Amino acid sequence: MTRDTLTGSRIRERRLFLALRQAALARQVDISASYLNLIEHNRRRIGGKLLVDIARVLGVEPSMLTEGAEVALISTLREAAADAEKPVAELDHVDEFAGRFPGWAEVLAGEHRRVATLERTVQVLSDRLTHDPQLAASLHEVLSTAAAIRSTASILAETGELEPEWRDRFHQNLNVDSRRLAESSRALVNFLDDSSTNAARRGVPLEEVEAFFSAHDFHFGAIEQGQASPAELVADASELQSDAARTDAMAALELYRLDAEKMPLDEITQAVANKIDPMALAETFSCELPSVLRRLATLPEDVLGRQSGLVFCDASGSILFRKPIDGFALPRFGASCPLWPLYTALARPQVPLRRQVVQHGRHATGFECLAVAWPQAQVGFDKDPMYRAVMLILPQTVSPADALAVGSSCRVCMAKNCQARRETSILDEEF
């Protein structure tokens, strides 16, 4: 059905939009209601003075009724059909579909445009992932170690008789470098292996530790009840493939054990039954606020009464540990948003911060972020303090209107005119 045969459908849509009865329109253009009914159902062609009169009563140009405003819409629908890569039997009726059901046609066309935009974004992200800094670092480690082995082997092969002391030293270097090469190669293979059955690709110590903690829901009942030590849990963990990951996991579990000893599960469960007040908990258990924030994040969800997220970093801003939470994106690679209260706390050491935040995104969710920075060791007159910061993330049912807007990382942040932006977002229009 061509566009000029849909004039009646457009008349009907415009009349219904104006809440005008069929009989009233027929009376104003001096025709019968039954004849107008035939016109609106595309059973009678219309033109000349009658078309002009109806257009005048409906308040539109006659061309809007004969040609319609769906020319671009029909073109988009045809593109959607072509991109479907399957036969579309009703393609010959696309004009009729747009004329009879303009609302649904707009929905379909809008979804097609949105999918096309998302596909372009995914393609750009895929291209950028080829320049992943973690991948570059892994390759650099492998190549550097191989070069060191090659250099040592050349000395042993091309040099004449060596003194036993120097020969033993070169042999020791070969042993150490070969072990390092094997470890780096295994990490690189794990990082690149897409056929892994694990949901998250690993291959770097931080990801292995996160996978280990995630497998236990960030709560270790065996440590709470004294049934297993951190060393025993690390030794049995299949998620920890590298020595570096096992070392980092051991340090994190030791910190977990110390926090659990200060705040036993039964006692803190009673303390948070009515209200989560970190300052009151710190006073009740006579411990530091960072310990309280870490402990709250490792409590089971049924004990805390809600989800919780956790991030802590060192003085450089590098993330050392994270517990993800739905709705608050934590970047896997690259620097995080400098507007996070976590980094504000670094500028105000030992000053607790409470901020209501909302993260940019399609579904903006409100969160309460509690952060504090503390020195890693006792400071001295000739020793500069080195700080770390921790941030507890708690979801909110209602986000206040004045909540602080933050992102995840500048590379994927859609915020406009942000003073904290360090690099152009790959979601900008130019991409």
Side-chain angles (χ1 to χ4, degrees):
M1 185 177 291
T2 57
R3 288 195 298 272
D4 61 344
T5 60
L6 293 175
T7 302
S9 297
R10 300 187 188 97
I11 291 174
R12 184 174 182 273
E13 291 293 333
R14 181 63 180 175
R15 177 179 62 78
L16 293 177
F17 176 78
L18 297 176
L20 185 63
R21 295 176 62 86
Q22 194 177 65
L25 175 58
R27 186 169 54 252
Q28 293 187 53
V29 296
D30 197 24
I31 61 174
S32 65
S34 59
Y35 186 70
L36 179 59
N37 184 63
L38 292 174
I39 292 175
E40 288 189 348
H41 285 83
N42 301 307
R43 296 179 182 175
R44 294 291 186 273
R45 291 184 177 274
I46 180 176
K49 181 177 183 301
L50 180 56
L51 176 62
V52 174
D53 291 341
I54 292 178
R56 174 179 51 79
V57 175
L58 296 178
V60 296
E61 292 292 331
S63 60
M64 289 292 293
L65 299 178
T66 56
E67 292 295 330
E70 65 272 18
V71 177
L73 176 60
I74 292 174
S75 176
T76 304
L77 292 176
R78 292 186 182 276
E79 292 178 4
D83 292 343
E85 297 182 354
K86 61 180 64 176
V88 181
E90 299 83 10
L91 187 59
D92 294 338
H93 302 282
V94 63
D95 294 342
E96 182 179 0
F97 175 73
R100 289 181 180 274
F101 308 101
W104 282 110
E106 285 287 357
V107 170
L108 179 59
E111 287 298 306
H112 173 67
R113 289 189 291 265
R114 186 177 69 86
V115 169
T117 301
L118 292 176
E119 287 177 345
R120 287 193 297 269
T121 301
V122 170
Q123 183 177 0
V124 171
L125 291 174
S126 299
D127 292 340
R128 292 304 176 90
L129 282 177
T130 60
H131 305 289
D132 195 321
Q134 193 62 51
L135 176 59
S138 298
L139 289 173
H140 177 74
E141 175 70 13
V142 170
L143 295 177
S144 298
T145 309
I149 293 175
R150 178 71 179 86
S151 176
T152 304
S154 297
I155 294 176
L156 290 173
E158 298 173 3
T159 305
E161 187 68 23
L162 294 173
E163 296 181 3
E165 179 181 356
W166 281 100
R167 185 180 63 248
D168 293 343
R169 182 176 300 180
F170 283 127
H171 285 160
Q172 180 66 26
N173 290 343
L174 274 178
N175 181 54
V176 172
D177 288 338
S178 62
R179 289 177 178 271
R180 186 158 63 98
L181 178 60
E183 188 73 26
S184 301
S185 300
R186 183 167 59 249
L188 180 59
V189 170
N190 290 338
F191 182 82
L192 296 175
D193 187 9
D194 287 330
S195 62
S196 174
T197 56
N198 294 325
R201 276 184 9 185
R202 298 191 298 277
V204 292
L206 177 60
E207 292 187 2
E208 294 180 25
V209 174
E210 288 178 358
F212 169 59
F213 272 77
S214 180
H216 292 80
D217 291 329
F218 293 83
H219 182 77
F220 297 87
I223 292 181
E224 302 273 356
Q225 301 167 12
Q227 298 176 348
S229 66
E232 292 172 335
L233 292 177
V234 168
D236 296 335
S238 60
E239 297 85 3
L240 305 174
Q241 300 294 324
S242 64
D243 292 337
R246 286 187 283 271
T247 300
D248 293 345
M250 177 69 75
L253 285 180
E254 284 293 345
L255 197 59
Y256 179 101
R257 183 183 61 80
L258 292 175
D259 293 340
E261 289 179 352
K262 296 175 184 177
M263 293 161 279
L265 184 60
D266 293 339
E267 297 180 24
I268 197 170
T269 298
Q270 297 178 358
V272 300
N274 298 323
K275 183 181 179 181
I276 301 176
D277 188 343
M279 296 302 297
L281 292 173
E283 184 176 351
T284 299
F285 292 99
S286 301
C287 59
E288 299 294 330
L289 185 58
S291 298
V292 174
L293 299 184
R294 292 193 302 263
R295 183 61 171 152
L296 290 175
T298 58
L299 293 179
E301 189 173 336
D302 58 344
V303 172
L304 195 62
R306 67 179 84 175
Q307 282 189 321
S308 63
L310 185 74
V311 183
F312 58 86
C313 69
D314 60 15
S316 71
S318 300
I319 293 180
L320 305 178
F321 186 84
R322 60 181 191 168
K323 177 190 176 185
I325 181 173
D326 294 341
F328 196 97
L330 301 175
R332 183 175 298 275
F333 301 113
S336 308
C337 176
L339 297 178
W340 285 4
L342 175 74
Y343 302 121
T344 305
L346 282 175
R348 301 168 60 182
Q350 298 182 308
V351 177
L353 298 178
R354 185 194 304 268
R355 296 287 186 271
Q356 311 297 327
V357 307
V358 60
Q359 197 172 53
H360 297 292
R362 186 178 179 188
H363 302 290
T365 305
F367 295 91
E368 181 181 48
C369 293
L370 308 172
V372 67
W374 76 98
Q376 292 181 240
Q378 182 66 39
V379 300
F381 289 106
D382 300 320
K383 185 178 180 181
D384 295 331
M386 294 297 297
Y387 291 99
R388 289 190 175 182
V390 61
M391 180 173 71
L392 177 67
I393 309 171
L394 300 174
Q396 291 182 303
T397 55
V398 179
S399 179
D402 59 346
L404 173 65
V406 303
S408 59
S409 175
C410 288
R411 300 296 298 278
V412 293
C413 181
M414 63 185 67
K416 301 295 184 182
N417 301 321
C418 178
Q419 295 182 348
R421 180 174 294 283
R422 67 173 67 86
E423 58 183 330
T424 303
S425 171
I426 63 176
L427 301 181
D428 278 359
E429 291 294 335
E430 65 184 277
F431 294 99

